[in-house]
Amino acid sequence: MSELKKLVERLPKAELHIHIEGSLEPAMMFELAERNAVSLPYPDIESIANAYNFNCLQDFLDLYYKGMSVLQTEQDFYDLTWAYLLRCHQQNVVHCEIFFDPQGHTERGIEFQVFMSGICAALDKAKTDLGISSKLIMCFLRHLDEADAIATLQSAEPYLDRITAVGLDSSELGRPPRLFQKVFANAAEMGLKRVAHAGEEGPPEYIYEALDLLNVDRIDHGNRSLEDEALVQRLANEKMSLTVCPLSNLRLAVVKELHDHPIRRMLALGLNACVNSDDPAYFGGYMNENFHTLIDAVDLTRDEIFQLVLNGFESSFLSRAEKQDHLNRIKSMR
Ligand code: ADE
Ligand code: ZN
């Protein structure tokens, strides 16, 4: 393995864009389907991986929502989350900010208490046993209407001590951020931070809306900001974080080839980008695989690797003092 790849493995990292339901590996999907007597549209584990051939975000989402139907009990959510945290431990991801999709579960009759208890129990164990810190980000599914998001925010009230931020995910095209202004304003009033997927498939306009109408603290993806020079300038001036997901971009055809991935251009333009896995079980890799494929595909340099890793902690919702501890430790490895 190259020195740069070993460096990536050694560096403590923060992951800020990971959908916990997207960490459901085919083997666990099969195991949980059997445990819960849920039928899957796949004859065996191998055929699941073969089905993961996506031309766009919607192709993926169709399978993602089918996949999560196997998650039924508190134990299932615990097992799912714990498996992801063990990967974090193996890959030296020491802090993670995890998305979850409550509406993907409540729609199927699974109550808030079920997934919150399972996910939080795994997060607590990871803190004590593995030293991994974490935050939870509750996403609203943008293919559903805002009233549904508002009801979801109300259902979350008993769990607000465990939720740091709200997010916006699912089908982007035709579902602009402006449709969710009210629920994001309510979330802000409740003291929650805000993030939104924008500019993954949607135009730069959606990124402006996320900034101006949803008052987001971070943009998830943000690739299409590069089409608008004034927007890039603004994002750079405001040090707005972009949680970029290279393998996801490849698998969802946001880039044609990884060789075309704009991560280096983003850094050169002064954008505050970091590397994340998005839905690692669907896109072929966790944090280190994302870095490793970038090293091969775009010749990421040692300085760029440090910058991306530092950006991850700097962009996190950790306290200033916690961030500084991580940043100092990483800088000492330079
Ligand atoms: N839900 C899970 N992964 C997603 C992605 N990459 N974009 C939008 N919604 C998602
Ligand atoms: Zn995502």
Side-chain angles (χ1 to χ4, degrees):
M1 187 186 297
S2 75
E3 284 309 311
L4 288 183
K5 288 185 182 174
K6 285 187 204 155
L7 171 68
V8 164
E9 296 195 338
R10 267 199 321 275
L11 284 169
K13 292 165 293 285
E15 173 144 73
L16 309 181
H17 185 154
I18 153 81
H19 302 261
I20 200 62
E21 297 89 349
S23 70
L24 178 60
E25 290 286 344
M28 185 179 285
M29 195 189 292
F30 244 75
E31 190 187 314
L32 297 187
E34 220 162 86
R35 194 197 272 179
N36 296 321
V38 173
S39 71
L40 284 172
Y42 314 103
D44 50 39
I45 295 176
E46 291 69 41
S47 62
I48 298 187
N50 292 336
Y52 290 173
N53 235 321
F54 315 116
N55 291 313
C56 61
L57 174 59
Q58 194 59 50
D59 281 359
F60 154 70
L61 289 170
D62 291 343
L63 297 196
Y64 170 79
Y65 294 119
K66 273 197 195 110
M68 70 172 78
S69 69
V70 303
L71 297 164
Q72 303 264 335
T73 67
E74 184 175 326
Q75 185 69 45
D76 300 339
F77 285 94
Y78 175 86
D79 291 347
L80 173 73
T81 310
W82 184 246
Y84 166 68
L85 291 160
L86 281 179
R87 296 276 192 159
C88 287
H89 186 56
Q90 287 160 4
Q91 299 209 342
N92 219 358
V93 171
V94 299
H95 177 68
C96 50
E97 303 194 350
I98 299 179
F99 294 132
F100 66 109
D101 283 331
Q103 290 154 296
H105 312 305
T106 51
E107 258 193 334
R108 304 181 285 114
I110 313 291
E111 292 187 8
F112 247 84
Q113 185 273 329
V114 172
F115 49 84
M116 288 306 295
S117 302
I119 293 171
C120 289
L123 297 181
D124 292 345
K125 185 174 165 64
K127 182 69 197 157
T128 48
D129 292 7
L130 309 175
I132 297 174
S133 57
S134 59
K135 311 267 181 203
L136 277 177
I137 304 174
M138 179 173 80
C139 282
F140 302 120
L141 298 181
R142 71 203 305 161
H143 66 267
L144 301 176
D145 62 26
E146 190 182 40
D148 207 310
I150 289 171
T152 300
L153 184 58
Q154 278 161 0
S155 306
E157 276 189 47
Y159 307 98
L160 284 187
D161 59 328
R162 298 305 307 248
I163 299 174
T164 300
V166 294
L168 186 65
D169 66 358
S170 196
S171 322
E172 187 180 10
L173 287 173
R175 302 296 295 162
R178 65 175 173 274
L179 301 175
F180 297 91
Q181 282 179 77
K182 222 181 293 160
V183 71
F184 269 65
N186 293 349
E189 265 170 36
M190 292 158 75
L192 294 163
K193 303 250 186 220
R194 295 150 317 275
V195 302
H197 284 56
E200 181 184 19
E201 284 190 344
E205 190 56 36
Y206 286 20
I207 301 174
Y208 282 108
E209 288 186 15
L211 296 171
D212 294 330
L213 305 179
L214 305 187
N215 287 310
V216 293
D217 299 281
R218 297 198 294 248
I219 294 284
D220 295 313
H221 295 293
N223 297 54
R224 291 194 60 190
S225 62
L226 295 171
E227 297 168 20
D228 182 328
E229 224 173 279
L231 177 57
V232 167
Q233 209 38 256
R234 174 175 173 188
L235 293 168
N237 289 344
E238 292 179 7
K239 296 190 170 51
M240 179 55 60
S241 310
L242 304 184
T243 62
V244 178
C245 307
L247 282 172
S248 165
N249 292 161
L250 176 70
R251 300 294 292 273
L252 300 185
V254 170
V255 295
K256 266 214 189 82
E257 296 179 51
L258 262 184
H259 180 68
D260 304 326
H261 198 279
I263 194 79
R264 295 188 70 187
R265 188 146 60 97
M266 287 171 159
L267 293 180
L269 288 164
L271 291 170
N272 176 11
C274 59
V275 170
N276 304 271
S277 69
D278 203 1
D279 299 283
Y282 289 84
F283 301 147
Y286 290 77
M287 181 63 103
N288 286 352
E289 288 80 15
N290 271 274
F291 270 105
H292 287 180
T293 30
L294 280 179
I295 289 170
D296 289 333
V298 301
D299 285 330
L300 215 53
T301 67
R302 184 181 169 87
D303 281 352
E304 288 165 340
I305 290 168
F306 272 95
Q307 191 63 59
L308 289 164
V309 170
L310 291 168
N311 288 350
F313 287 101
E314 191 59 72
S315 302
S316 72
F317 293 135
L318 288 167
S319 71
R320 188 69 246 165
E322 290 167 324
K323 283 184 193 182
Q324 207 53 55
D325 273 355
H326 289 292
L327 297 174
N328 290 344
R329 192 152 141 245
I330 292 159
K331 286 176 182 167
S332 78
M333 295 172 74
R334 254 191 172 139

